[in-house]
Amino acid sequence: MSKETVVKFRTTFRRALPHEKGIEFRGIRYVVGEPDKFSDSPKTVERLADFSGLFALKVKEMVNSPDIRYVFTTMPLETCVKEARGQGKNIQTLKDSVKEALGKETEVFVEPQGILGLEALIQQRKLVKAPTLLIDGGFNTVNLLLVREDLTAPVMVSYYNRGVSRLIEIFGAILQNKGVASNLSISQLQETFLEGSLDMGTEEVPVEEEKKASLDFYVEELLSEILDLIRARGERFKQVAVVGGISYYLKSLPDYFKGKRVYVPEEGGEYLNLLGLVRKAEKKGQVENSLIFDLGFGFVKYYRGEEQ
């Protein structure tokens, strides 16, 4: 599967201006996936589920598919497990929102993030079925899973506000302490971080030093929490894997797990849950007439079919 078949847009929305086309949802026209200072974005699982219908409409527009019968999407594993035990209603909220947007006859399948990414890595032969410490991190949340050989997860912990947004928050604080970038939005800060320089209008100011300092602080903070939990639980595992957008920032992970098999994707880690979801749809024989997207706080990643 080529990179061109998996695409993403930011999980943002705002009311459309009179001259903008927008996407209509619940009687309001929205501009979706084009962040600016007026944009909103879901900060909780509840709100993400409630607005999933709007994001489904955006995916439908992007893949240009008029006849949608099935939707395959994702939620955090912790949410899926809790609701399987009768705790919470976010999955039903998601399904209702999608059906409201696409039609009540639409079949909606919700799969757990994290496990999907691990299944994709096993299918790609990057990992084997063995006890695994899985770090699944996106823009907002980091999910820590201890996964057994049969792909059940006896230990699941979600660290909210510990994803890439936390790294960017640290980066912004360091820049502010140096008297620059006091009014940049989170998306502008992330762009500055990735580019390694700050556009000051009349000049480009290098920020590689600040970038390294924030990354070192973030990784140490996150891994300290994870290692403390592992020691407290006493669980054993043979391999460590990272999936999600956080994989771009955890290249130093092998330094923390000496003697273990550690896999950190060089590229494409943010799409692993989506690729696992595509495999689920293929097994059901329902890729045609389907929307397939991984619903995250930072980005919606979606599948637009094999390139011809």
Side-chain angles (χ1 to χ4, degrees), residues 9 11 13 23 25-26 30 32 42 44-60 71-75 89-102 108-110 291 293-296 300:
F9 60 84
T11 316
F13 56 91
I23 296 172
F25 180 64
R26 294 173 179 163
Y30 292 98
V32 181
T44 64
V45 174
E46 291 80 6
R47 199 150 188 256
L48 187 66
D50 190 39
F51 275 85
S52 59
L54 175 61
F55 299 121
L57 287 170
K58 175 68 172 180
V59 174
K60 181 181 178 183
V71 168
F72 291 83
T73 189
T74 62
M75 286 247 93
K89 56 182 181 180
N90 290 317
I91 290 178
Q92 190 58 52
T93 298
L94 183 155
K95 290 182 177 182
D96 291 344
S97 179
V98 170
K99 287 173 180 284
E100 181 182 359
L102 300 179
V108 185
F109 302 93
V110 181
L291 295 183
F293 59 93
D294 178 23
L295 190 58
V300 176

Side-chain angles (χ1 to χ4, degrees), residues 84-226:
R85 295 170 178 165
Q87 304 168 3
K89 56 182 181 180
N90 290 317
I91 290 178
Q92 190 58 52
T93 298
L94 183 155
K95 290 182 177 182
D96 291 344
S97 179
V98 170
K99 287 173 180 284
E100 181 182 359
L102 300 179
K104 63 181 181 180
E105 301 303 319
T106 308
E107 288 191 61
V108 185
F109 302 93
V110 181
E111 298 288 346
Q113 295 163 353
I115 296 293
L116 285 170
L118 180 59
E119 288 178 338
L121 289 174
I122 292 171
Q123 194 270 336
Q124 294 172 6
R125 301 184 186 279
K126 303 293 186 183
L127 293 173
V128 298
K129 285 188 177 182
T132 303
L133 174 66
L134 180 65
I135 302 171
D136 171 30
F139 189 73
N140 185 54
T141 307
V142 175
N143 299 300
L144 180 69
L145 314 173
L146 281 162
V147 185
R148 292 176 176 154
E149 194 168 337
D150 61 0
L151 299 183
T152 59
V155 177
M156 298 171 293
V157 178
S158 292
Y159 298 97
Y160 295 100
N161 302 313
R162 280 291 181 269
V164 177
S165 61
R166 172 59 181 156
L167 168 61
I168 302 306
E169 177 187 316
I170 295 166
F171 179 61
I174 291 174
L175 291 182
Q176 276 192 316
N177 287 339
K178 296 200 170 185
V180 295
S182 59
N183 61 345
L184 292 183
S185 68
I186 189 78
S187 59
Q188 290 171 322
L189 279 169
Q190 187 174 13
E191 184 178 338
T192 299
F193 181 93
L194 293 172
E195 291 182 354
S197 64
L198 176 62
D199 185 354
M200 299 290 288
T202 57
E203 62 175 328
E204 290 278 337
V205 178
V207 293
E208 288 293 344
E209 230 177 86
E210 293 81 1
K211 179 176 174 177
K212 183 180 185 307
S214 58
L215 187 58
D216 288 347
F217 185 95
Y218 171 72
V219 172
E220 186 63 34
E221 178 185 71
L222 178 64
L223 267 296
S224 292
E225 289 188 70
I226 289 174

